[in-house]
Amino acid sequence: MHLLINMKKTEKSPGSKRSAGNSLYAAAVLFLSLSAVLVSVILLFDFVSGIFRDGDRLGENFQAVLTEESAVELLAASFLEGSVHDYSVIPSFTVGGQKTVFTVTGTSSIPPETLTFPFRRDSLLEVLPLRGAGAVLVSRAGDSICVDMLQVGNAPGIIELLGVPWDDRDVIGLKAEMLDDGVHVYFLAMEPGGGESFLELTPDGAIEVSEIRLPPDPVSGNLREVAVGDYDGDGAADTLSITVNAAMVICGDGGTYSDSIPGARMVAWSIACDDAAPCFRWTSGDGRDRWRIFSGNGFEDLDGIRNGLRNRAGEAVHVEDDSAMGPASGFITVDASGERVPSSSPGVLLCDVNGGGVDAVRVREGRLEVAVDPMEGNGLLVEVSSVTALGNDDVLLRSSWGYRIYGTGSGKRIRWERWS
Amino acid sequence: MGNAGRRSFVAAVWMAAAFLLLTGVLLTYRERMERQEKRRGALMVAGGVLYRWDGRDFPETGVFDSTVLVGETLFQVRRTVRDVSPGVREMKLFVGEEGDRYVELTRLFTELR
């Protein structure tokens, strides 16, 4: 009985048990809630800190882009100045505290550079080079004669200058000239009823009777070059016209001299600097060369190339292996593969558009194509990957680039573009 | 106080705690947030300034100061260009407010342009 009473004393009441269970439950809920709040707070702070980290990173990424652009340009300059001799050892560059490291992934030969522009014209009549700054293009488009400006260099493109209606007269001679007030185009046209007319297209689009009387092209109807100078030494201006198959000098006193060699093509011409005498190189079908010179009162044979020949721009003239002479006027053709072919392909006009040598210009399938300095031969493509990093491990930017290198020596040119 | 009243009180305490927490976060980061916003604005200004040299211009040497207003912030822009080697120029661009630079960027240019 006593034991029973003691047992009852030690036994807790049911209300007390429930209260203890509730307390435990409440403590667990409180702990979990606090944990959830703590985790939320940590996540919130981490999130906000992440926003700031990203913000700080934005500045680093911005600098990484600039570092990479700087390094890519510096590498191009290294290629251009020839300081990179071994492609397995190319320089890295540090700019703004970040470093760009390059790796060459491949090299290959590429065709000569070709610039392509949309050009809605039917045929190209004349290209007038502008001292390395591009060219003036005279072309036919339907019933119109169009004059456009081709710009090369840093901002290549075509600017439309003029488009004037043209009637049924055939153009059998043409010469463009850049004067102070703009482009003047001189025509020798065949009237529909017969007879020739000399016309001038002025920069404001007017077609007037020309005071300049162009000579006709006696063979192909495709006048390739006209130059004005005192070729006979009498002090009066003479006109020299050149086609593929003939050279003609119209002297200021009215005398006319022409020269052609049956079975031979004129492959190059230039002006001798010492006495301003036009010189010509003819090549016959069997590949033999014959040199001719205008002496003032006719054409004569010349015993080989004359020393000191200079072209109209005053540049030294040299003989190329396939018989083009000098950068001012060489009658070569560049085919689709970039091969240099000494021929008189119609539709391909040759002149120095970019100031670096003979360029080939043609219209094809609604585009104007300019093969830039094709006489240089093929170019070189250098494929490069770049890694820009802050320190050694913190990589910010990875890219790949293509460098196209054309020409050699002072005529070397480089283009580059981001591939990825 | 009954059960319902106690629960309401506890809920109010939690909400107050949450509000205080968020206010604390906001107050803690307010200055950084403002600076961050200004830094973004400064980067935008720097991008606009540098965009001019995406073309092919070779920058002139010297120190060039200007100001750009973005929203209510008047940014001061300083551009210093110097020759670092033959044919290579370094342009440093600083964008900030009075006595406070948010952005400092460096770009090199060559005579290829």
Side-chain angles (χ1 to χ4, degrees), chain B residues 26-43:
Chain B
L26 200 63
L27 288 175
T28 305
Y29 285 112
R30 200 191 78 176
E31 205 169 306
R32 275 188 81 179
M33 282 176 170
E34 282 179 358
R35 188 175 169 78
Q36 190 80 356
E37 275 308 303
K38 288 185 174 177
R39 191 172 155 78
R40 284 179 189 275
L43 281 172

Side-chain angles (χ1 to χ4, degrees), chain A residues 30 33-34 37 40-41 44-46 48-49 51-60 62-63 65-67 69-71 73-74 76-77 80 94-96 154 414 416, chain B residues 14 21-22 24-25 28-30 32-34 36 39-40 42-44 46-48 50 54 56-58 85-86 88 90 92 104-113:
Chain A
L30 183 64
S33 303
L34 285 174
V37 169
S40 301
V41 168
L44 180 63
F45 272 85
D46 186 59
V48 174
S49 300
I51 291 175
F52 290 121
R53 275 198 307 272
D54 289 348
D56 294 340
R57 198 70 172 169
L58 197 62
E60 289 172 1
F62 202 135
Q63 178 58 58
V65 171
L66 297 179
T67 300
E69 286 178 353
S70 304
E73 196 172 319
L74 289 168
L80 200 60
T94 300
V95 180
N154 297 332
I414 188 161
W416 66 91
Chain B
W14 276 113
L21 178 67
L22 289 172
V25 170
T28 305
Y29 285 112
R30 200 191 78 176
R32 275 188 81 179
M33 282 176 170
E34 282 179 358
Q36 190 80 356
R39 191 172 155 78
R40 284 179 189 275
L43 281 172
M44 193 174 74
L50 287 166
D54 272 358
R56 293 280 166 174
D57 290 337
F58 193 45
S85 61
V88 180
E90 177 194 73
K92 278 191 178 293
E104 181 178 335
L105 297 168
T106 308
R107 170 78 156 97
L108 295 184
F109 297 89
T110 71
E111 281 183 326
L112 286 178
R113 346 195 101 235

Side-chain angles (χ1 to χ4, degrees), chain A residues 120-123 125 139-146 162-171 187 201 207:
Chain A
R120 301 293 171 195
R121 309 284 186 248
D122 299 330
S123 60
L125 300 175
S139 56
R140 289 296 295 262
D143 296 331
S144 298
I145 294 279
C146 300
L162 279 178
V164 296
W166 188 260
D167 51 28
D168 294 336
R169 287 175 288 197
D170 287 332
V171 176
F187 297 94
L201 173 60
I207 296 179

